[in-house]
Amino acid sequence: MKYTDIIKSIERQILDGLLKPGGKLPSIRALTKSYSCSKNTAIRAYAELEKRHIIYAVPKSGYYIVLA
């Protein structure tokens, strides 16, 4: 499924050090463009990463990577 590909990609970027703890993730709109997916797919991927405590949302600001 597309959302699992997004999750794996983001997790890999974190492990590889491309995305740093506390760093801001792309917006939902940017994610839909870079992964050629729907808005719902992007939201589902971020929601799953939030459930796993890998990222967190800040209302009206965006999504960020959990600090260590």
Side-chain angles (χ1 to χ4, degrees):
M1 292 188 176
K2 191 81 162 187
Y3 81 99
T4 57
D5 293 340
I6 296 169
I7 291 168
K8 287 176 188 173
S9 174
I10 290 172
E11 288 176 330
R12 173 60 44 208
Q13 290 177 58
I14 293 169
L15 289 172
D16 291 346
L18 299 172
L19 295 173
K20 306 282 185 210
K24 189 172 182 179
L25 290 167
S27 67
I28 296 293
R29 183 176 292 172
L31 205 65
T32 61
K33 287 183 180 179
S34 61
Y35 287 95
S36 301
C37 66
S38 71
K39 183 178 173 186
N40 287 339
T41 300
I43 291 170
R44 186 172 180 186
Y46 276 175
E48 182 61 33
L49 287 166
E50 261 192 291
K51 265 198 269 181
R52 296 180 189 181
H53 303 289
I54 294 171
I55 67 170
Y56 63 96
V58 176
K60 300 194 187 241
S61 178
Y63 291 88
Y64 297 85
I65 300 166
V66 171
L67 299 172

